[in-house]
Amino acid sequence: MAAVTLTNVVKRFGVYEVVHGADIDIADGEFVVFVGPSGCGKSTLLRMIAGLEDISGGKIAIGGKVVNDVEPADRGIAMVFQSYALYPHMTVEQNLSFGLRMNGNPKADTERRVKRAAEILRIDELMQRRPKQLSGGQRQRVAIGRAIVREPQVFLFDEPLSNLDAELRVQMRVEISRLHKELGVTMVYVTHDQTEAMTLADRIVVLKAGNVEQIGAPLDLYDDPANRFVAGFIGSPKMNFLGAKVVETSNSAAIIELVNHGGVKLHKPLREAFPAVGAEVVLGVRPEHFFEAGEGDCDIPVKADVAEHLGSVSYVYANAGPEELIVEREASRQRASGDHFTVSIKAERSLLFDKAGARIR
Amino acid sequence: MRTQNATAYRFLTPYLLIFAIFWIWPIISSFLISFQATRTVPWRFAPTFNWGRLIGDPAFYNALKNTLLILVIQVPVMISLAIVMAVLLNSPLLKARGLYRFAFFAPVVVGEVAYSAVFRLMFSLDFGIINKLLNSVGIPKVDWFSNVTPAMALIMIAVTWRWAGYNAIIILAGLQSIPEDVYEAATLDRVSRLRQFFHITLPLLKPVIVFCAVLSIIGTMQLFTEPFLITERGGPGGGTETLGLLLYRQGFRSLNFGYASAVAYTMAGLAIAITLVQLWLTRDPK
Ligand SMILES: Nc1ncnc2c1ncn2[C@@H]1O[C@H](COP(=O)(O)OP(=O)(O)OP(=O)(O)O)[C@@H](O)[C@H]1O
Ligand SMILES: [Mg+2]
């Protein structure tokens, strides 16, 4: 078991810098998820930890030891690839034992480890099959099994579930979570799926274009995002962003006007920073934080455009002036297209951002 | 559906007609001819005439021996070379990959006569560059054309030169279909490059290699150009005569079509038999 520490890690491909100095501390036994949109450098970071990519700058330490110049096989890690990367010509059993056999591991120990991995993942019956004869979910288990057999200090997963269908994805998600509890080892998991991140992680690292935007526990990111990007990325459906302007400030609050909703005003208490009067700001409200008319601190009228009824909840896509808002409603309050209704915003259930996207607290 | 098929076949008719006349019919006809004495007029049916002669013909055994010898040495050497070439061609370190790919493929499209003439020049006793090079490293001149062993070696070298690149390109396609992350997984499993080659690359290339080997076996069974043009009709003294050459001599020099057909069927039969044995030996364990 080992902690993983990234200190000012930089990655360049030729002249293109794709990771700009990442500082990430992963505690021993922690489950950390790297999340971010496509191309933000998640895989690159993971592959640098694995040793499959060189580190252009900064340091990576595993278990307190800097591994910049350590061979991948000597880093005490195991990786599960998005495409599984199973050896196609070997049976499941051979896939699991290949690395150990190639390194002259005692036969009895190899057998013990393979057996244990097969039990943990419930793939005992598949041992004599080849990857071609397995379903996607079974292949994924074998790929994880191959990692378990190495008895690594750190597990690395690169979007392991993205090739599976929705139902299987939920099932495997639970299993990976169970595996983490069972083995108690450090796990670093890459995904662009925020649900996976929220459900699996002890802590989430949100990345954007090669920069670490925020690191924190899932609910901390949800409740208290550092900026507009994180606020929009964490939570599903996405947070709504309403254009606003500061009309008055005091030493404990700002009064903002929602410019696209007929000049409705909201009294927003603030603790740290006080924007200038006249500054353009953005108010973020999650779909689940719209209240019934009159229940909140300011009301805005909207017109339902499309409603998605999921059973337990409905999402109403509503037009309000030039802005489209997503409003969550309980299923009993279904609305049809064209309905006019009013939603209410509570100051403590909304977030304020400046024009550049930084949070104003 | 019916009429659609009928229309399709009507469009295919010209091709099928030509195929039948120039492919199917000769195959059937030569089979029948192999059972006829064709040196008499008119030809007469004599089932054991050609086949009986074949079984006792020292010229046939000589050609068979030469062909199989070339097959057994040249094909494995060439395929191994082609695998090495393909791996080098696939290396990310290689610059100007397109140029090499072209260079490897070029021998196949060069005219046979031109290529043979160049080989004759290169290997000529007194003026050839090969002997000059051998001399310069202290090896005495080799008379490539007057002794059987060097002449056979020359044929094998020439055939290998002409087809190794072609096979390398096919194997390269196979190499490129192996996903990179399989090698990454092996690297994480602490498997060295060399062992990755033997435990991952080779097994995954097996179907492609078998395909190349089958093509090469069929090609070598019919070997004709090199012994005809480079060692001058199987010289010295029939020392490099192959089955293909024997067939040509019997059929088109002596106009003994019956015997030539029997030789042709023997070649085809052997090619099929060797290929089947090979497929059986390299079958997937199940
Ligand atoms: N070998 C490479 N050469 C050049 N650029 C690369 C290379 N690999 C990745 N990149 C670039 O680095 C950036 C980060 O890539 P990376 O694969 O880490 O993204 P990602 O976050 O994993 O995205 P995804 O969710 O699509 O997998 C991208 O802009 C990509 O184009
Ligand atoms: Mg990726």
Side-chain angles (χ1 to χ4, degrees):
Chain A
M1 267 167 257
V4 180
T5 314
L6 282 70
T7 316
N8 195 21
V9 170
V10 174
K11 177 66 190 178
R12 273 177 235 107
F13 289 109
V15 297
Y16 298 106
E17 189 171 297
V18 299
V19 175
H20 320 286
D23 288 302
I24 304 170
D25 269 316
I26 300 167
D28 184 11
E30 198 176 20
F31 198 127
V32 166
V33 175
F34 293 176
V35 69
S38 192
C40 68
K42 309 179 291 290
S43 299
T44 305
L45 268 180
L46 198 74
R47 292 168 57 83
M48 282 196 282
I49 298 174
L52 296 172
E53 299 279 359
D54 316 326
I55 301 160
S56 315
K59 272 193 284 201
I60 294 182
I62 299 175
K65 186 168 151 250
V66 174
V67 294
N68 285 36
D69 298 316
V70 176
E71 288 296 313
D74 298 326
R75 295 187 179 195
I77 54 98
M79 182 154 167
V80 178
F81 295 82
Q82 177 174 4
S83 55
Y84 318 132
L86 299 177
Y87 307 120
H89 55 298
M90 298 184 199
T91 63
V92 168
E93 184 167 21
Q94 290 167 336
N95 260 286
L96 295 183
S97 61
F98 182 61
L100 295 174
R101 278 186 286 126
M102 287 289 112
N103 289 293
N105 197 55
K107 202 161 174 254
D109 183 56
T110 303
E111 275 169 17
R112 179 189 64 77
R113 293 200 202 182
V114 168
K115 195 157 166 285
R116 174 164 162 266
E119 272 164 18
I120 292 176
L121 294 164
R122 295 188 290 262
I123 50 176
D124 322 48
E125 269 111 74
L126 311 173
M127 295 309 268
Q128 297 315 318
R129 298 220 201 145
R130 277 163 213 271
K132 238 185 293 179
Q133 302 162 313
L134 300 177
S135 72
Q138 291 170 332
R139 280 180 213 186
Q140 189 53 263
R141 277 167 212 266
V142 176
I144 295 172
R146 193 171 57 180
I148 293 178
V149 165
R150 298 200 58 210
E151 299 187 347
Q153 301 184 305
V154 181
F155 275 84
L156 307 175
F157 295 89
D158 191 355
E159 306 207 23
L161 308 185
S162 59
N163 288 337
L164 304 180
D165 64 42
E167 195 180 332
L168 208 51
R169 205 182 293 190
V170 174
Q171 192 187 329
M172 285 304 293
R173 205 167 74 200
V174 175
E175 285 209 23
I176 289 176
S177 202
R178 180 176 62 95
L179 191 69
H180 178 239
K181 289 208 182 66
E182 239 169 88
L183 302 176
V185 298
T186 313
M187 290 191 174
V188 185
Y189 186 107
V190 161
T191 179
H192 59 250
D193 182 60
Q194 63 92 27
T195 317
E196 262 172 44
M198 293 295 283
T199 50
L200 283 171
D202 292 328
R203 278 192 309 151
I204 296 177
V205 177
V206 183
L207 294 158
K208 178 192 166 196
N211 289 309
V212 175
E213 294 287 312
Q214 192 174 359
I215 304 179
L219 289 180
D220 290 346
L221 297 193
Y222 176 86
D223 291 334
D224 192 16
N227 54 47
R228 183 174 163 176
F229 176 78
V230 176
F233 200 82
I234 302 291
S236 169
K238 264 170 76 97
M239 180 181 274
N240 298 290
F241 295 106
L242 292 75
K245 202 168 87 185
V246 178
V247 290
E248 209 183 312
T249 55
S250 69
N251 58 5
S252 65
I255 295 177
I256 59 166
E257 178 187 322
L258 299 177
V259 290
N260 294 315
H261 303 280
V264 179
K265 292 197 177 58
L266 176 72
H267 182 265
K268 174 82 182 150
L270 294 173
R271 283 171 284 124
E272 292 169 10
F274 299 93
V277 172
E280 281 180 44
V281 290
V282 175
L283 188 72
V285 183
R286 295 196 183 277
E288 54 273 35
H289 295 155
F290 282 115
F291 298 86
E292 293 301 312
E295 286 179 9
D297 302 318
C298 79
D299 286 0
I300 52 178
V302 296
K303 177 167 159 267
D305 187 10
V306 178
E308 290 178 345
H309 303 299
L310 302 185
S312 59
V313 293
S314 300
Y315 296 110
V316 183
Y317 294 77
N319 287 321
E323 280 166 352
E324 173 161 284
L325 302 180
I326 308 175
V327 178
E328 185 184 310
R329 277 288 171 266
E330 281 164 28
S332 57
R333 307 211 179 138
Q334 288 174 359
R335 289 190 185 277
S337 174
D339 282 0
H340 289 268
F341 62 108
T342 300
V343 295
S344 185
I345 298 170
K346 279 187 187 166
E348 81 260 25
R349 287 309 217 161
S350 64
L351 304 171
L352 199 60
F353 304 95
D354 70 16
K355 217 181 146 205
R359 177 84 182 277
I360 305 171
R361 286 187 171 94
Chain B
M1 202 60 218
R2 264 274 150 67
T3 53
Q4 257 184 21
N5 278 348
T7 314
Y9 278 112
R10 236 170 288 149
F11 274 109
L12 277 174
T13 309
Y15 168 76
L16 290 178
L17 227 61
I18 288 172
F19 183 73
I21 293 170
F22 290 99
W23 282 94
I24 309 281
W25 174 241
I27 288 171
I28 298 168
S29 162
S30 61
F31 185 69
L32 299 177
I33 290 174
S34 77
F35 293 103
Q36 297 181 39
T38 55
R39 302 273 286 232
T40 56
V41 182
W43 295 355
R44 69 185 161 75
F45 181 70
T48 56
F49 186 76
N50 296 313
W51 290 101
R53 177 178 165 189
L54 188 84
I55 289 166
D57 188 355
F60 166 72
Y61 285 108
N62 175 51
L64 180 64
K65 185 200 77 193
N66 289 339
T67 307
L68 292 182
L69 195 65
I70 294 172
L71 186 89
V72 167
I73 300 175
Q74 186 265 330
V75 173
V77 168
M78 180 185 67
I79 300 278
S80 311
L81 197 65
I83 295 172
V84 172
M85 285 161 81
V87 169
L88 294 181
L89 204 55
N90 199 31
S91 159
L93 302 174
L94 186 74
K95 301 269 184 296
R97 180 160 301 131
L99 191 70
Y100 284 95
R101 224 176 310 203
F102 166 74
F104 282 9
F105 209 78
V108 179
V109 291
V110 168
E112 295 177 340
V113 175
Y115 133 79
S116 302
V118 170
F119 259 79
R120 283 185 62 81
L121 273 178
M122 280 171 41
F123 284 80
S124 113
L125 179 61
D126 293 316
F127 312 111
I129 183 146
I130 300 295
N131 275 342
K132 291 228 166 81
L133 287 176
L134 289 180
N135 249 336
S136 72
V137 294
I139 300 172
K141 283 199 277 199
V142 177
D143 192 348
W144 295 95
F145 299 98
S146 332
N147 298 311
V148 173
T149 310
M152 283 289 272
L154 171 55
I155 300 260
M156 293 181 208
I157 293 170
V159 176
T160 303
W161 178 82
R162 193 144 76 106
W163 294 105
Y166 173 83
N167 285 290
I169 300 287
I170 298 177
I171 293 169
L172 177 65
L175 270 182
Q176 289 177 338
S177 72
I178 304 176
E180 186 55 31
D181 54 14
V182 172
Y183 292 107
E184 290 181 344
T187 304
L188 294 181
D189 271 344
R190 202 195 308 274
V191 180
S192 68
R193 285 259 153 203
L194 194 68
R195 291 180 128 193
Q196 287 180 19
F197 177 77
F198 285 107
H199 286 95
I200 296 173
T201 310
L202 272 190
L204 291 181
L205 278 182
K206 201 176 86 181
V208 180
I209 293 172
V210 169
F211 173 76
C212 284
V214 167
L215 279 191
S216 305
I217 288 168
I218 293 171
T220 302
M221 284 310 293
Q222 308 174 358
L223 190 62
F224 174 79
T225 306
E226 285 79 4
F228 185 75
L229 290 174
I230 297 180
T231 55
E232 284 188 293
R233 310 189 176 197
T240 59
E241 183 167 81
T242 56
L243 288 173
L245 211 51
L246 175 68
L247 181 156
Y248 165 79
R249 259 195 322 121
Q250 289 298 330
F252 301 100
R253 298 263 111 193
S254 317
L255 302 182
N256 187 353
F257 295 117
Y259 193 50
S261 298
V263 173
Y265 262 87
T266 311
M267 284 164 64
L270 277 173
I272 293 171
I274 296 173
T275 300
L276 287 179
V277 168
Q278 210 232 345
L279 289 177
W280 182 75
L281 284 176
T282 57
R283 74 200 181 282
D284 264 324
K286 188 58 239 179

